[in-house]
Amino acid sequence: MACRICSGRLHRFADFGRQPVSDAFVLPGDTGEEFFFDLAVGVCESCAMVQLLQEVPRERMFHEGYPYLSSGSAVMREHFRSLAGRLLATELAGPDPFIVELGCNDGTMLATIAAAGVRHLGVEPSGGVADLAAARGVRVRKDFFEAATAASILAFDGPADVVYAANTLCHIPYLDSIMKGVATLLRPGGVFVFEDPYLGDILERASFDQIYDEHFYLFSATSVRELARRHGFELVDVERLPVHGGEVRYTLARRGARTPSPAVGELLAAEEAGALAGPQTLRDFAGRVEGIRDRLVDLLTGLRARGAMVYGYGATAKSATVLNYCGIGPGLVSRICDSTPAKQGRLTPGSHIPVRGPEAFAAPYPDYALLFAWNHAEEIMAKETAFRDAGGTWILYVPDVHLV
Ligand code: SAM
Ligand code: TMP
Ligand code: ZN
């Protein structure tokens, strides 16, 4: 197996077995037609990029029925509103600025840009969510971004001041084509800004559910610096973000165009000092993951034996890895409540647990709720205080199995 970035040798360090497409929520009658792949993850011995060993064809993941909505969390809506405001005040403050967002989803971020009257384009292959973006006044192109898309955007709209992507770049195995596209589209002084789950946080919290089909790469400053270098770019800023369980926002500029901020050197030094992607760190991670799996299954099995009712909360893409790796089905978790319309009335992929709306959480409350959307814990627990008031207990499994 060769690295998708540099063709270096990959060292496999964790294996989650046979897994379904994480966002392929299935209709009760269609459970015989699911697609499965082998979910294992490795690190490149040359460029340190952590990546999946098998790729799921992109059309199986991102299509008309892709259910995920960026607007599903109030915290994320505020996160994107604030980022848009910052871009408008800085990179987009010049004459006739232009921003392109890859994976704009339902337009949560670009809606603020559109409202400011600034030229923009969202590139979004998933038709259903792209329609939602268009309905809120965002200009969107239904397409996968890649080198050819960039050339046609450039021909029509001219160069971009900013190319931005949140929780999208790490979804794309073909980064060579993406980086070529960004190099084509960006004006000489422009920036490529992207934010994705941070390898450092994933290893520290043993949040193994961040590993699933859509998360093809787990980035670090070290691996992103090398990715940038190979395409004539330079990593000029990094910012740690608290959202989605810990992310980093990377800013790339053409080599020599900007002076890197001190934060870049600091994060690179911390990754080196902590041997971030070193063999011992990765072995420790794999060991912790097995322990979490065993403790979670023991807990749920014990609760079932005592006749306790357990629901899940948040039918996240992340939950596919937990459910299918741990072998948890409707016998242990009888339903999962989730606010996303396109997930409700369906079954979780592979594990076939019914997904219901949030109103089904209180009807009546279960004894325990397994919080799959642990990255939104504060927001969800604040909304569902009546659950604990009624005697309910939350179960979390990051950074280890515990009750709240
Ligand atoms: N940016 C949003 C956010 O952070 O909430 C959406 C993130 S969602 C997890 C990933 C999005 O990337 C999906 O809407 C998917 O359709 C889109 N996507 C996947 N491959 C893409 C590509 N090659 N170009 C543009 N968007 C892509
Ligand atoms: P994410 O962790 O990938 O953002 O997915 C979060 C899932 O949890 C998504 O399906 C929406 C759901 N959710 C709720 O059901 N209620 C909530 O209050 C929040 C914030 C998310
Ligand atoms: Zn490599």
Side-chain angles (χ1 to χ4, degrees):
M1 206 71 69
C3 171
R4 284 297 300 253
I5 305 298
C6 78
S7 304
R9 230 174 46 172
L10 290 181
H11 162 68
R12 169 197 301 241
F13 65 89
D15 195 329
F16 301 94
R18 196 169 162 266
Q19 292 279 340
V21 173
S22 62
D23 265 316
F25 292 83
V26 60
L27 288 168
D30 291 348
T31 51
E33 324 215 323
E34 289 176 278
F35 175 88
F36 289 87
F37 72 105
D38 289 320
L39 180 63
V41 62
V43 60
C44 174
E45 292 173 356
S46 307
C47 77
M49 185 65 86
V50 172
Q51 58 203 277
L52 300 191
L53 303 185
Q54 195 180 326
E55 173 181 348
V56 172
R58 61 188 188 178
E59 290 80 9
R60 283 203 179 267
M61 298 186 281
F62 310 116
H63 45 72
E64 200 61 31
Y66 181 70
Y68 183 75
L69 299 178
S70 304
S71 59
S73 149
V75 169
M76 291 313 298
R77 290 197 296 274
E78 174 52 27
H79 173 81
F80 289 126
R81 198 197 55 74
S82 141
L83 183 266
R86 202 210 290 185
L87 288 175
L88 287 169
T90 56
E91 302 295 336
L92 301 173
D96 193 26
F98 178 46
I99 177 171
V100 175
E101 182 179 21
L102 318 183
C104 72
N105 197 269
D106 61 8
T108 299
M109 196 289 283
L110 283 180
T112 303
I113 304 284
V118 165
R119 277 201 307 135
H120 64 275
L121 180 68
V123 184
E124 175 51 69
S126 297
V129 296
D131 287 340
L132 295 175
R136 66 204 314 170
V138 166
R139 185 170 162 248
V140 54
R141 170 173 173 151
K142 277 190 203 178
D143 222 339
F144 286 96
F145 183 85
E146 55 193 351
T149 333
S152 99
I153 296 170
L154 179 73
F156 194 83
D157 289 302
D161 298 273
V162 177
V163 175
Y164 173 72
N167 308 300
T168 295
L169 206 69
C170 78
H171 292 49
I172 305 180
Y174 42 99
L175 283 187
D176 190 55
S177 176
I178 298 292
M179 295 303 293
K180 286 189 176 123
V182 173
T184 301
L185 185 54
L186 213 54
R187 76 170 169 79
V191 284
F192 181 26
V193 180
F194 56 94
E195 54 193 74
D196 288 286
Y198 177 49
L199 178 67
D201 289 308
I202 293 169
L203 296 177
E204 190 183 316
R205 299 173 190 195
S207 45
F208 65 96
D209 58 347
Q210 292 280 18
I211 300 168
Y212 56 93
D213 55 352
E214 293 178 26
H215 285 179
F216 190 85
Y217 295 107
L218 305 181
F219 294 143
S220 63
T222 306
S223 61
V224 167
R225 175 182 56 175
E226 177 58 15
L227 170 71
R229 192 194 64 74
R230 299 178 74 84
H231 292 274
F233 284 94
E234 196 173 358
L235 179 58
V236 297
D237 199 15
V238 288
E239 185 184 353
R240 295 194 65 167
L241 306 171
V243 297
H244 288 314
E247 302 205 317
V248 169
R249 179 179 291 151
Y250 305 91
T251 302
L252 272 48
R254 290 188 206 276
R255 187 177 304 138
R258 300 208 183 186
T259 308
S261 77
V264 175
E266 286 162 19
L267 191 56
L268 287 166
E271 290 182 359
E272 198 178 336
L276 179 65
Q280 189 57 46
T281 315
L282 300 176
R283 255 197 309 276
D284 289 349
F285 170 78
R288 283 172 71 195
V289 171
E290 288 177 10
I292 293 169
R293 174 195 60 194
D294 295 346
R295 285 185 286 281
L296 182 59
V297 172
D298 281 354
L299 173 67
L300 295 174
T301 312
L303 291 175
R304 177 179 58 187
R306 285 175 23 211
M309 179 66 83
V310 182
Y311 291 173
Y313 205 108
T316 56
K318 293 186 284 295
S319 73
T321 298
V322 180
L323 294 168
N324 290 282
Y325 171 61
C326 298
I328 298 168
L332 293 178
V333 174
S334 52
R335 71 174 63 150
I336 302 184
C337 300
D338 190 288
S339 60
T340 314
K343 297 181 182 179
Q344 296 164 7
R346 293 179 173 246
L347 306 176
T348 56
S351 52
H352 303 162
I353 299 173
V355 181
R356 307 274 306 270
E359 70 290 345
F361 189 48
Y365 283 119
D367 303 297
Y368 293 84
L370 180 49
L371 186 56
F372 292 113
W374 54 267
N375 46 314
H376 303 293
E378 219 173 298
E379 179 174 348
I380 290 173
M381 288 183 186
K383 182 183 292 187
E384 299 287 3
T385 50
F387 168 57
R388 290 192 70 210
D389 293 346
T393 303
W394 292 101
I395 303 172
L396 285 103
Y397 51 84
V398 175
D400 202 343
V401 178
H402 62 288
L403 303 178
V404 177

